[in-house]
Amino acid sequence: MKNSHEDPIKSLFEPKNIAIVGASNVKGKIGYTILNNIVSGGYRGNIYPVNPKGGTIMGYSVYQNIADINETIDLVTVAVPAKFVLDTVENCAKKKAKHIQIITSGFSEIGNIEEEKKIVAIAKSNGMRILGPNIFGLYSAAASMNATFSASKIKSGHVAILTQSGALGVAMIGKTAVDNIGLSAIVSTGNKCDIDENDLLRYLVPQKETRVILMYIEGVKNGSKLIDTLKWATEKKPVIVIKSGRSKRGAMAAASHTGSLAGSDEIFDAIMKQCGVIRAKCLNEAFNWCEFFAFCPTPKGRNTVIVTNGGGVGVLATDTAEEFDIDLYDDQTVLKQAFEDSVPAFGSTKNPIDITGGANSDHYKMALNAPVNCKHIDATIALYCETSTFDSENLVPMIKDTFENHKKAGKPISYAIVGGEDVEKAMIILKKENVPVYNEVNDAVSSLGVSFQYQRYLKEKSDLVEEAEIDIERINSIIDLALKDQRPFLLSNESADIMSAAGITMPKSKIAKNINQAIQYANEIGYPVVMKVVSRDILHKSDAGGVALDLINQNEVLDAYEAIIQNSMDYNPQATIDGIEVSEMVEKGVELIVGARMDRAFGPIVMCGMGGIYVEVIKDVVFRGLPINSHEAMKMLKEIRSFPLLLGVRGEKKKDIDGVIDTIMRVGSIIKKCNKITDIEINPVVVYEQNKGLRALDVRILIKNPQEAT
Ligand code: COA
């Protein structure tokens, strides 16, 4: 990415001075708490409280107006009621302030869009950047700066958090304090009137202290830009995202909550995957994974062993390992050699390695140190169930010791310790010392699982830029005709022309204007043929009885012609019939759907999956944001549950997968290059054996509202 190494908002995170407009002496007011947090957090730069009353607050002289401060201000924190914010921003402009974080609520999130626009305009014309409004503030470990109104102290560390929800952000600070998770930064993005995730990631990703980034997102505004930034970010650091709005109701709540539209969840999910971002379902999961990324080495290979003192938890771990695609190492000769000294005769050296309920801390040490010295084992899942035979006073030293040994060897180890009070106490001590331990088997396994997932992404990603050649001038001229006609959709012959301009094979076809032409064209194309009504007033031809299949001779063509005209007129007596399309009846093959659309959040996206009339019921489709290359298109196909059908099942030959990839690329090119098209759907695309190609059977293309497009 261009300018990726610049951090234009460095002085937001590392300001040499801060002004707090609305600083207050009244405990409990936000203006008091922020100043108090800045002071008690150990911020080292100059602090300038601003309040028309003047005087002193917490021993600091108060400026009655920001203009009175004798220095250019790097960061102004605004905590005055909404009606005073515009004035304050104007004063900041006179002072040539660099950044303003507006804590105040009462702008676009409640429909006060105009006021927010005015603020942005003043900032833009004066070279200032704005964070917020409607935020809880910003913490940055690099400047020991807690410019938030959080109630808890923040521990410095290696996790950076960006959150669109302020309240949840404040709660997250509380949770990190309890769980002893150190932060390099936490930023509330609020209404994102100017500074957004893209700007913040530019600073955080190259920053040394930040090892993992956690984002809480409610809605995406400029999705195409976010795709670029996230792809760039995940090349360097793991990014974990939680997005609300998974459910339809949740999406509606998120949309009204933030004033921005939450994109469809399937698309969001697919695009995050495409960008290498790991999506967590809940805060617990996200924080577990953050801890693991922050403190465990990355796995170099995939061979994993589970070491346990209980068979049950071993099976639980095995189930979750499968869910997260973790390779459980199976070479019995190697495993026997590595573990035979630490496993009693009645235990098992088969993976999960069962050192049995009689194991004490020495047995554990021996067993957990075995993978450190075994070149065939890359990662370990260590499970401990509290037993009376275990010397519980040695639980913490045993885990610290084996964790350190793994760390030195550059191998990850993930612990789940399950039990009562002693286990809980051990958890607290170990977390304080930055050892990622969990009290759920699932958490230990999933943490390692996402670490593998991230490594796999890095290994498999391809930045190759590919663009399918299409005749865009011809496509635009076809669309212009429809627009002239005031139509937001294309007729089937126009869609077919677009397919031909894009190099996508359709069945041979011609539009007959009368019965004689229909017979002539059927003879030319060769029997059997298909006939379909062509009418701008009939979009769903089958519903109208406007389709006849498998017509094997002239008589059948003649009958079908009359029936289609009659059915269509019955269906919609006002319909204008432009003709009857006569086309080649294609042979059976695997039916896929390939489509593309302009997504409101992410811009152009492509889709492919299992096609046919049950597409909405089967819902076996995958999405990607553009651009993609053929490598990514292949990954899409592999993600479809029905992919084995393309490989050939029950003795069938492999299908023309290259042809499908080519079609996905071409459909992607159309939506990307032609900004008047909003939706393309080819369903079905009938795919034949390898090298025998495919046929785009039914194509629907929607275009922008003629008023908007011209
Ligand atoms: N310049 C400087 N100080 C000013 C000022 C100005 N133009 N106008 C007023 N002030 C002072 C006030 O005198 C007051 O100081 P005081 O306590 O010494 O009297 C202080 O600024 C705060 O003003 P006040 O009217 O008491 O407001 P408040 O503290 O009740 O509320 C906000 C201010 C910003 C906190 C409130 O408007 C708000 O938006 N709250 C929601 C914040 C939020 O939840 N954000 C999202 C988080 S997720």
Side-chain angles (χ1 to χ4, degrees):
M1 182 188 286
K2 218 176 140 215
N3 291 337
S4 58
H5 296 294
E6 287 173 19
D7 41 13
I9 55 166
K10 185 171 180 201
S11 56
L12 172 71
F13 285 92
E14 300 172 41
K16 62 179 190 311
N17 54 29
I18 312 176
I20 305 98
V21 180
S24 169
N25 248 325
V26 182
K27 264 194 180 175
K29 280 205 182 181
I30 285 184
Y32 173 90
T33 311
I34 293 182
L35 179 60
N36 190 36
N37 280 346
I38 293 172
V39 175
S40 63
Y43 173 67
R44 294 178 293 269
N46 293 337
I47 300 172
Y48 300 114
V50 181
N51 187 314
K53 292 177 185 164
T56 60
I57 306 179
M58 293 173 217
Y60 288 86
S61 298
V62 176
Y63 290 77
Q64 288 181 300
N65 192 306
I66 193 162
D68 304 337
I69 302 170
N70 210 3
E71 208 182 348
T72 311
I73 308 295
D74 277 352
L75 174 60
V76 181
T77 295
V78 178
V80 292
K83 61 182 176 202
F84 301 127
V85 171
L86 190 61
D87 263 2
T88 305
V89 172
E90 273 168 353
N91 287 335
C92 291
K94 287 181 201 142
K95 199 71 220 138
K96 300 214 176 321
K98 291 185 188 155
H99 300 95
I100 309 176
Q101 62 158 347
I102 304 176
I103 305 291
T104 313
S105 303
F107 295 92
S108 66
E109 84 281 5
I110 57 155
N112 188 4
I113 296 166
E114 284 313 307
E115 189 88 345
E116 197 170 289
K117 277 189 182 160
K118 281 185 203 159
I119 290 169
V120 176
I122 296 169
K124 283 235 158 89
S125 56
N126 289 280
M128 303 187 295
R129 299 296 311 268
I130 302 223
L131 182 65
N134 189 29
I135 56 171
F136 69 77
L138 160 75
Y139 164 79
S140 165
S144 303
M145 177 184 70
N146 181 0
T148 74
F149 62 82
S150 116
S152 320
K153 283 215 167 346
I154 303 176
K155 181 183 160 190
S156 71
H158 305 293
V159 180
I161 302 179
L162 308 184
T163 169
Q164 204 173 341
S165 160
L168 189 68
V170 176
M172 284 201 260
I173 293 178
K175 186 164 167 51
T176 57
V178 170
D179 287 356
N180 243 297
I181 298 170
L183 303 181
S184 56
I186 178 160
V187 195
S188 162
T189 53
N191 295 3
K192 298 194 267 193
C193 77
D194 174 24
I195 293 175
D196 62 11
E197 291 90 355
N198 297 290
D199 303 298
L200 299 168
L201 287 169
R202 294 281 173 83
Y203 168 81
L204 291 168
V205 170
Q207 202 222 18
K208 224 173 109 217
E209 283 308 304
T210 300
R211 294 185 188 161
V212 50
I213 295 160
L214 168 61
M215 297 168 71
Y216 170 80
I217 296 181
E218 286 180 346
V220 176
K221 272 183 183 163
N222 186 350
S224 300
K225 194 171 167 198
L226 188 64
I227 291 178
D228 283 350
T229 309
L230 287 175
K231 280 185 181 168
W232 164 78
T234 53
E235 250 176 42
K236 295 163 181 67
K237 300 221 166 126
V239 178
I240 295 168
V241 71
I242 309 184
K243 180 180 174 290
S244 54
R246 287 178 94 86
S247 62
K248 285 203 173 85
R249 270 189 97 94
M252 277 161 66
S256 53
H257 181 56
T258 61
S260 63
L261 251 172
S264 134
D265 199 63
E266 285 96 343
I267 291 169
F268 180 86
D269 208 60
I271 286 177
M272 289 304 111
K273 244 190 238 159
Q274 183 184 356
C275 296
V277 172
I278 299 150
R279 186 168 181 190
K281 284 198 278 300
C282 60
L283 283 182
N284 261 340
E285 204 170 63
F287 281 121
N288 288 337
W289 297 350
C290 281
E291 277 179 285
F292 197 81
F293 276 117
F295 298 113
C296 261
T298 47
K300 308 238 169 4
R302 296 186 47 104
N303 294 343
T304 304
V305 289
I306 299 171
V307 176
T308 180
N309 66 345
V313 285
V315 176
L316 278 179
T318 307
D319 289 348
T320 315
E322 192 172 298
E323 197 186 308
F324 280 83
D325 207 11
I326 294 177
D327 284 353
L328 294 182
Y329 187 57
D330 261 342
D331 190 320
Q332 202 39 48
T333 321
V334 172
L335 290 176
K336 197 156 185 273
Q337 207 173 29
F339 289 99
E340 67 187 343
D341 292 343
S342 44
V343 174
F346 48 90
S348 168
T349 56
K350 284 198 181 117
N351 201 0
I353 316 293
D354 190 350
I355 60 174
T356 78
N360 62 23
S361 63
D362 285 336
H363 299 126
Y364 258 105
K365 264 194 196 166
M366 213 192 298
L368 294 182
N369 282 330
V372 173
N373 303 316
C374 176
K375 66 173 195 248
H376 301 286
I377 301 174
D378 304 302
T380 305
I381 296 164
L383 309 177
Y384 166 78
C385 289
E386 195 172 46
T387 62
S388 59
T389 51
F390 189 91
D391 38 333
S392 60
E393 70 282 6
N394 286 326
L395 180 60
V396 169
M398 180 278 284
I399 291 180
K400 271 168 64 178
D401 179 68
T402 50
F403 179 67
E404 277 312 312
N405 289 342
H406 274 80
K407 220 168 154 183
K408 272 186 218 140
K411 295 184 180 187
I413 177 165
S414 190
Y415 300 87
I417 57 176
V418 187
E421 215 176 304
D422 286 343
V423 164
E424 284 306 310
K425 279 186 195 152
M427 291 271 300
I428 294 170
I429 300 169
L430 289 163
K431 281 196 176 238
K432 254 192 200 146
E433 303 204 17
N434 297 332
V435 181
V437 279
Y438 308 97
N439 53 11
E440 277 281 350
V441 173
N442 189 58
D443 295 341
V445 182
S446 70
S447 298
L448 180 64
V450 292
S451 182
F452 278 125
Q453 184 186 317
Y454 179 52
Q455 289 309 312
R456 245 189 332 265
Y457 166 80
L458 290 177
K459 211 165 141 203
E460 289 172 7
K461 77 192 224 12
S462 153
D463 297 326
L464 187 73
V465 178
E466 282 175 80
E467 196 74 72
E469 290 262 328
I470 58 170
D471 186 346
I472 192 67
E473 269 173 39
R474 203 172 129 207
I475 291 175
N476 277 331
S477 66
I478 297 164
I479 291 165
D480 287 344
L481 282 180
L483 288 172
K484 239 192 211 164
D485 231 5
Q486 296 293 307
R487 265 187 285 123
F489 61 89
L490 300 188
L491 298 175
S492 59
N493 58 315
E494 293 166 334
S495 297
D497 283 350
I498 288 189
M499 290 295 106
S500 136
I504 297 170
T505 319
M506 297 275 297
K508 283 180 244 163
S509 113
K510 286 187 160 182
I511 311 280
K513 298 285 183 189
N514 56 48
I515 209 157
N516 290 334
Q517 260 184 356
I519 291 168
Q520 182 199 330
Y521 293 158
N523 288 338
E524 282 169 19
I525 287 166
Y527 293 96
V529 293
V530 173
M531 290 168 68
K532 292 180 197 164
V533 65
V534 181
S535 168
R536 66 205 63 204
D537 305 311
I538 302 174
L539 260 191
H540 300 284
K541 304 177 197 85
S542 300
D543 295 353
V547 179
L549 304 173
D550 207 9
L551 309 170
I552 54 169
N553 56 37
Q554 284 194 22
N555 285 343
E556 288 196 6
V557 167
L558 203 140
D559 292 345
Y561 189 96
E562 282 169 353
I564 288 174
I565 298 276
Q566 190 58 54
N567 293 343
S568 303
M569 293 316 294
D570 291 347
Y571 180 77
N572 181 355
Q574 267 76 48
T576 305
I577 294 177
D578 296 302
I580 303 290
E581 185 184 353
V582 183
S583 21
E584 159 195 5
M585 170 94 191
V586 299
E587 288 168 36
K588 280 203 164 52
V590 174
E591 293 193 351
L592 296 187
I593 179 169
V594 176
R597 65 187 312 258
M598 280 309 288
D599 183 74
R600 271 200 275 184
F602 287 104
I605 57 164
V606 282
M607 177 260 284
C608 74
M610 201 55 203
I613 54 173
Y614 300 121
V615 66
E616 266 138 39
V617 181
I618 297 170
K619 273 211 172 126
D620 185 15
V621 291
V622 292
F623 300 90
R624 287 293 188 278
L626 290 172
I628 59 162
N629 54 31
S630 37
H631 172 78
E632 196 65 39
M634 182 66 201
K635 275 168 80 178
M636 282 177 86
L637 285 181
K638 283 186 178 166
E639 277 173 33
I640 303 168
R641 291 194 307 280
S642 320
F643 178 64
L645 295 182
L646 289 175
L647 294 176
V649 286
R650 295 176 162 258
E652 286 170 357
K653 288 198 175 139
K654 189 176 165 190
K655 304 294 179 282
D656 201 330
I657 292 175
D658 289 342
V660 181
I661 290 173
D662 182 63
T663 306
I664 297 170
M665 295 296 293
R666 287 177 189 280
V667 168
S669 262
I670 302 174
I671 200 87
K672 194 157 168 258
K673 290 183 179 163
C674 179
N675 61 9
K676 290 173 190 163
I677 294 182
T678 61
D679 294 78
I680 307 169
E681 186 182 293
I682 317 176
N683 183 24
V685 176
V686 183
V687 188
Y688 302 114
E689 286 167 13
Q690 198 164 8
N691 301 325
K692 293 205 170 152
L694 44 79
R695 293 279 191 282
L697 264 205
D698 204 350
V699 186
R700 287 217 291 156
I701 296 180
L702 303 182
I703 51 182
K704 271 190 184 157
N705 193 310
Q707 273 79 37
E708 277 176 53
T710 42

